[in-house]
Amino acid sequence: MSSFENHPIARQLKKYSPNGQWKQIAAQINNEFRHFDKFSSGTSFYNRVYLTDNWLIKVNLYSVKICPTSNLDIALTGAIDLNLTTDGSMGRQLLKLVAKPLNDPCLFEQFILRLSSFEYHDFCEKLSLPIRQTCDIIIKQSLPEMFIESFREQVMTNQSTIYQREVFKKKFK
């Protein structure tokens, strides 16, 4: 028995192996993680989301959450509009997604992902699973969509005017 058998990540990986061989699962994840086509998102090295062909991985400062995409139910549950950014550019929208087990609730505990709306399309393409939308959320995915939203807000602040059309009658002699 290696000294890593009781490590929290090794115990988590044992749940995904039919014979309890966590090293096989770790090797599979490692192999997929090396592929260039994985999805990666996050604001820093200690708060990231990775999506490979078969695994969803969330890494933060104190934990690592790993779940297979074959047993994943993911739902879009909320959005936050941020008007300020650190780089001085336009605002952005953060989407709140909840990942939970599809069949076996003991496999992993549900956890929350936060993605930028600009990355949402890439995440959906890589996931290739349907994402449930639990509430009415407008996802602002592109610059033109954000322009249209700002334009609508500006139009709503404009003063209304009443236009009366004059009807001209032609007189025939």
Side-chain angles (χ1 to χ4, degrees):
M1 180 191 259
S2 73
S3 61
F4 294 108
E5 292 291 324
N6 291 323
H7 191 277
I9 295 174
R11 286 190 308 221
Q12 190 175 7
L13 294 178
K14 284 180 188 178
K15 296 177 182 179
Y16 305 125
S17 176
N19 55 5
Q21 295 295 320
W22 66 271
K23 290 181 182 180
Q24 291 174 346
I25 301 297
Q28 179 187 3
I29 293 171
N30 188 34
N31 186 32
E32 288 184 22
F33 197 82
R34 291 180 181 192
H35 292 173
F36 67 92
D37 65 339
K38 69 179 175 290
F39 173 83
S40 175
S41 172
T43 55
S44 62
F45 69 92
Y46 59 84
N47 190 14
R48 307 238 2 124
V49 173
Y50 300 100
L51 180 62
T52 67
D53 292 334
N54 298 306
W55 298 93
L56 177 64
I57 305 163
K58 180 186 177 188
V59 179
N60 66 24
L61 193 56
Y62 299 109
S63 67
V64 175
K65 307 284 187 183
I66 303 170
C67 63
T69 57
S70 60
N71 190 15
L72 181 64
D73 177 32
I74 194 157
L76 178 62
T77 60
I80 302 169
D81 290 325
L82 302 173
N83 294 327
L84 300 174
T85 59
T86 56
D87 60 1
S89 64
M90 65 192 150
R92 64 180 184 161
Q93 185 181 41
L94 284 180
L95 303 175
K96 178 182 173 185
L97 296 114
V98 176
K100 57 184 174 180
L102 185 63
N103 299 322
D104 186 4
C106 297
L107 206 52
F108 64 92
E109 292 181 17
Q110 77 175 20
F111 57 92
I112 295 173
L113 309 170
R114 297 211 188 268
L115 295 177
S116 168
S117 60
F118 297 127
E119 300 170 323
Y120 183 71
H121 179 71
D122 296 333
F123 181 79
C124 291
E125 279 185 356
K126 183 65 179 173
L127 184 61
S128 69
L129 292 173
I131 296 178
R132 292 184 300 110
Q133 193 164 342
T134 59
C135 52
D136 189 25
I137 299 170
I138 298 172
I139 301 170
K140 300 171 187 166
Q141 294 186 35
S142 66
L143 188 59
E145 288 175 351
M146 293 181 75
F147 172 78
I148 290 170
E149 179 73 24
S150 295
F151 186 78
R152 282 187 187 142
E153 288 175 5
Q154 184 61 41
V155 167
M156 296 307 283
T157 62
N158 289 346
Q159 192 177 35
S160 333
T161 60
I162 299 173
Y163 176 72
Q164 294 180 345
R165 191 169 72 176
E166 294 180 8
V167 179
F168 294 100
K169 296 182 182 177
K170 291 184 180 181
K171 295 183 180 178
F172 293 102
K173 294 186 179 180

